[in-house]
Amino acid sequence: MQTREMRRATPDGLSHPAAPVEIVRGIRPEIQALRAVAVAAVVLYHLWPLRMPGGFVGVDMFFAVSGFLITAHLLREVETHGSVRITTFWARRARRLLPASLVVLVATSVAVLLVVPRALWQQFFRAIGASVLYVENWLLAGDAVDYLAAENAPTPVQHFWSLGVEEQFYLLWPVLIAIGALVATRSRRWRASQVVGLLIAVIFATSLVASVLTTSTAPSLAYFGTHIRAWEFAAGGLVALLGSRPPFVNDMARTWMSWTGWVLVVVAIASFDGSIAFPGATALVPVVGTLMVVAGGSPRLWWSPTRIVSLPPVQRLGDVSYSFYLWHWPVIVLVPFATGRDLTTIDKALIFVATLVLAALTKKLIEDRVRSLPALTIRRPRWTFLAVGASMALAMLLPVAGTIYTADSREQSVAAIDDALASGERCFGAGALVESGCTVDPAAALLPDPASLYEDTGGAFSCYRPQDDPELNTSCSFGSTAPDATRVALVGDSHAAMLIPGLRDRASQMGWRLDVLVGNDGSWRDPASAEPGSAQEAYLTALDEHLAEGDYDIVLTTARHDPARRAAVSEKTRDAYVEVWTDARARGTQVVAIQDNPLISQADLDCVVSPRPGVEPTSCAAPESAASDAGDDIVHAARDEGLPVIDLRDHFCTADSCPIVIGGVIAYRDLHHITATFSKTLGPYLVAAVEDATRA
């Protein structure tokens, strides 16, 4: 993630030490060392997260360094030319950064086609396309609050979120500096550095406050949002603004400052982990540490860190840090797909070395050559922009083609599913394990098509409550509109939602008016069980009031179970269920619990979507223990209260195992949600079970 074009320093890095914050055009060894430490921390964290728990702060170090260097460069341009040559700056940035990144993205696209299961193509190519456009950070921010995308597998370009933030900074920062210079010129009372300093200080303060606030209320936005991360760049800019007026002017002070900065960086890398609130105020530790090292420069005292940071291996790693960062994550993600197994320690060590080699080659053959290419450097910026546009268009070809392919596969799959359902074949899907005479045809095409597996939701989440939303959506109703229709409510979380495709098509023929009340953490329970004053309490209160006022004949309730849930937690949860059920039963409403579907492992699902040679997907299965009702608090509470419980496990499992493919249908779209296709085949049996339960 290098952020500036610079000439090489003297071999030992010591003959011309930098002033504390002196703006120099040569490579500063302490900045190269910061880059080396930052990229090593990130890569080692991704390879061995438990051994390098805070390695993710390397990104914050890069942001702070970028803010310093780019602000210094732009201020120097204002001093020389009176303003910022914005298009020239953008062209230089594009020549410096885009060639290597686009090469990595094209190589990653090819690798996805070759080794990644088709079930992941839609997600992966979508992310690659966002990375080509440098908006991956916004895609991840959106996915984090989208329930259907929140559990997505990591894509091989997920690390491009930070590059997106940087590129957006490069687009906006010179405009900010240019505005400051223009205001100073017209006012004639202020110097450009003063106006720019004021603007940067305002950005620093407002963005930092926003980061502190959103880290607790909207952590995904705080982590990926460019405007929330802006204070880290602004902090570097403020240090750059010190210019020739550093607060520390002697080697002793600079040495202490430098060592203190390195200590803060090491503390953050070694002690931070995923449990802390980040970025927020916590990110001040690596950012301040980084900028203390920058401000300290390269002091000449014998006990200063200058000799250590100037060691050739450190400087060389800093030199290839950008390409090293680009390559490491695609290799980490894609190698397991190619080998068919998880990474071993030896694999990880080989990946580290191989990525370094790729980085060195990319630096020499692509980065250095393209940024100094005469065909671009001696021409106006628009030629660079044209070359960039053409290159980005080429890089988008495979992602677009892959997306079109998966969309076409999805359409064909939907048509095949509709035909199979219309045929009334009793051995298709959920009936295969309970109907007599059903056989398995290993050669039959699987439905849904694996390429569209993760999208097979059947519209189940169109009325789903988002996370932390206090509002109850009561607009989703299906079935009969007759005045005497049986009023039925389906209540619960995403597992309840996946029953909608199976119930929706049969509500009318059963004479039901089916209201769907589903959402994130949406199981029906006593509002007093939620944190007082929280959005969850408001939602549960609205849900309970709606059910009380809705004159429902039947309420169907289910939710994801957790076999690992502690007994004390389960007891409280069951009590919260019974509290609302008791009131509903007193009103004459029949409460029916539906046992949750089995939970499977990643290996079970991979067996189908990424089958190994010689393995038939129809043979893939989870152990019978996957159908255990341990941790299904709704079911246990219902049984204790003598309420009817619908148990459909015979449609999922035999006495020995729980197949992943049942009657030619892939039953699971992820590790715990059933597919809409399987839900539709399960619907007749579920409706019949509800009729039996409420007739008793």
Side-chain angles (χ1 to χ4, degrees):
M1 271 202 226
Q2 295 173 3
T3 53
R4 118 172 228 176
E5 297 175 55
M6 293 179 283
R7 296 198 303 268
R8 198 159 191 79
T10 52
D12 60 7
L14 294 170
S15 59
H16 301 288
V21 287
E22 183 182 353
I23 310 304
V24 296
R25 287 183 170 80
I27 289 179
R28 290 179 50 169
E30 77 282 0
I31 289 180
Q32 288 294 80
L34 285 167
R35 287 171 171 153
V37 170
V39 76
V42 170
V43 174
L44 292 175
Y45 166 69
H46 285 152
L47 288 170
W48 291 283
L50 297 180
R51 298 182 183 180
M52 189 71 70
F56 55 85
V57 305
V59 170
D60 303 86
M61 296 171 63
F62 280 127
F63 288 168
V65 169
S66 293
F68 170 78
L69 291 173
I70 295 304
T71 304
H73 169 81
L74 293 172
L75 286 174
R76 190 165 59 247
E77 186 160 325
V78 169
E79 292 175 2
T80 304
H81 301 284
S83 186
V84 175
R85 296 171 298 174
I86 295 177
T87 56
T88 300
F89 173 83
W90 285 340
R92 291 180 64 192
R93 291 293 87 207
R95 291 194 300 270
R96 171 67 183 85
L97 300 174
L98 268 62
S101 68
L102 293 178
V103 166
V104 170
L105 290 171
V106 170
T108 301
S109 297
V110 173
V112 168
L113 286 174
L114 295 176
V115 304
V116 173
R118 290 186 299 130
L120 292 171
W121 281 12
Q122 173 75 19
Q123 178 196 341
F124 281 19
F125 282 130
R126 174 171 166 261
I128 292 172
S131 298
V132 171
L133 300 175
Y134 284 94
V135 292
E136 172 70 356
N137 60 314
W138 295 112
L139 178 66
L140 290 173
D143 283 352
V145 296
D146 178 358
Y147 184 81
L148 292 179
E151 297 184 11
N152 281 350
T155 73
V157 294
Q158 192 160 296
H159 64 315
F160 265 75
W161 77 265
S162 64
L163 301 178
V165 171
E166 285 219 26
E167 287 299 324
Q168 292 155 36
F169 163 73
Y170 295 146
L171 282 175
L172 298 175
W173 210 246
V175 176
L176 174 77
I177 304 296
I179 290 173
L182 179 62
V183 170
T185 299
R186 293 192 174 182
S187 71
R188 298 182 180 179
R189 297 176 55 190
W190 300 80
R191 293 194 301 273
S193 60
Q194 293 175 316
V195 178
V196 170
L198 178 61
L199 292 174
I200 294 178
V202 170
I203 291 173
F204 171 81
T206 55
S207 176
L208 178 57
V209 170
S211 180
V212 172
L213 295 176
T214 56
T215 294
S216 58
T217 59
S220 298
L221 180 62
Y223 200 85
F224 296 117
T226 304
H227 59 305
I228 306 298
R229 290 284 192 162
W231 71 266
E232 300 181 34
F233 297 96
L238 291 175
V239 173
L241 278 161
L242 293 177
S244 60
R245 299 179 302 281
F248 300 99
V249 294
N250 60 74
D251 267 7
M252 179 70 75
R254 288 160 50 198
T255 298
W256 280 111
M257 175 179 277
S258 186
W259 275 121
T260 302
W262 281 115
V263 168
L264 289 175
V265 166
V266 171
V267 166
I269 293 172
S271 63
F272 287 8
D273 58 34
S275 66
I276 65 171
F278 198 88
T282 312
L284 282 166
V285 176
V287 169
V288 170
T290 296
L291 294 176
M292 289 183 76
V293 173
V294 171
S298 299
R300 290 170 290 187
L301 293 182
W302 67 269
W303 54 278
S304 77
T306 300
R307 290 188 180 277
I308 298 174
V309 303
S310 300
L311 291 172
V314 177
Q315 294 296 297
R316 287 169 187 160
L317 181 56
D319 201 36
V320 300
S321 59
Y322 176 58
S323 290
F324 194 29
Y325 183 84
L326 286 175
W327 282 111
H328 85 281
W329 186 245
V331 177
I332 290 173
V333 171
L334 294 173
V335 165
F337 287 111
T339 61
R341 57 178 171 79
D342 292 336
L343 296 175
T344 65
T345 299
I346 294 177
D347 291 334
K348 293 177 180 179
L350 291 174
I351 285 175
F352 189 91
V353 174
T355 306
L356 268 179
V357 172
L358 280 172
L361 291 173
T362 303
K363 175 71 166 60
K364 181 177 181 180
L365 301 178
I366 298 172
E367 287 187 58
D368 292 344
R369 290 189 179 183
V370 176
R371 72 176 174 185
S372 57
L373 195 65
L376 296 177
T377 56
I378 65 175
R379 295 186 175 185
R380 293 182 180 276
R382 64 171 175 265
W383 290 98
T384 295
F385 300 147
L386 287 172
V388 165
S391 300
M392 294 176 74
L394 290 173
M396 287 291 287
L397 288 179
L398 284 179
V400 170
T403 301
I404 292 173
Y405 170 82
T406 54
D408 184 61
S409 297
R410 182 163 56 250
E411 290 181 4
Q412 295 181 33
S413 179
V414 169
I417 291 167
D418 289 343
D419 290 343
L421 291 170
S423 71
E425 171 57 53
R426 62 188 179 84
C427 293
F428 179 62
L433 299 184
V434 296
E435 302 288 348
S436 60
C438 294
T439 58
V440 176
D441 180 7
L446 300 181
L447 294 174
D449 187 296
S452 60
L453 178 64
Y454 297 135
E455 286 75 44
D456 191 52
T457 63
F461 293 88
S462 58
C463 352
Y464 196 73
R465 173 222 180 190
Q467 183 177 1
D468 297 328
D469 188 345
E471 301 297 325
L472 176 69
N473 184 351
T474 60
S475 63
C476 291
S477 297
F478 308 100
S480 175
T481 57
D484 61 345
T486 301
R487 295 294 307 279
V488 180
L490 174 65
V491 186
D493 59 11
S494 59
H495 286 216
M498 285 314 303
L499 298 177
I500 295 173
L503 293 173
R504 180 176 51 210
D505 297 338
R506 288 160 184 82
S508 292
Q509 67 187 58
M510 298 303 300
W512 290 2
R513 177 62 174 177
L514 177 64
D515 292 345
V516 174
L517 306 167
V518 294
N520 188 279
D521 195 15
S523 59
W524 178 32
R525 60 191 187 277
D526 184 6
S529 64
E531 182 181 349
S534 65
Q536 184 65 24
E537 182 189 42
Y539 176 81
L540 292 176
T541 299
L543 173 63
D544 196 42
E545 291 175 351
H546 177 80
L547 291 173
E549 298 167 359
D551 193 26
Y552 287 100
D553 300 297
I554 304 168
V555 175
L556 307 177
T557 181
T558 190
R560 179 181 180 179
H561 70 289
D562 181 6
R565 183 176 291 141
R566 292 184 293 112
V569 175
S570 288
E571 183 178 356
K572 291 181 180 179
T573 304
R574 294 175 192 178
D575 289 344
Y577 290 140
V578 172
E579 184 71 24
V580 292
W581 294 349
T582 301
D583 293 341
R585 295 171 69 191
R587 297 190 297 266
T589 299
Q590 292 181 282
V591 179
V592 179
I594 303 174
Q595 183 159 331
D596 190 23
N597 57 262
L599 309 180
I600 64 173
S601 70
Q602 187 65 55
D604 298 329
L605 188 62
D606 287 346
C607 181
V608 172
V609 301
S610 183
R612 298 181 182 181
V615 176
E616 293 293 343
T618 51
S619 68
C620 301
E624 191 276 334
S625 59
S628 170
D629 62 6
D632 199 332
D633 292 330
I634 288 179
V635 166
H636 289 290
R639 286 175 179 157
D640 291 344
E641 293 296 305
L643 298 178
V645 174
I646 294 177
D647 183 354
L648 299 172
R649 282 181 292 182
D650 287 347
H651 296 273
F652 289 92
C653 303
T654 66
D656 304 316
S657 64
C658 299
I660 310 303
V661 177
I662 304 172
V665 174
I666 303 177
Y668 304 89
R669 56 177 294 272
D670 57 28
L671 306 189
H672 56 93
H673 292 107
I674 62 174
T675 59
T677 304
F678 190 78
S679 176
K680 291 176 180 179
T681 67
L682 187 65
Y685 302 99
L686 174 55
V687 167
V690 172
E691 289 288 292
D692 290 343
T694 55
R695 205 169 28 237

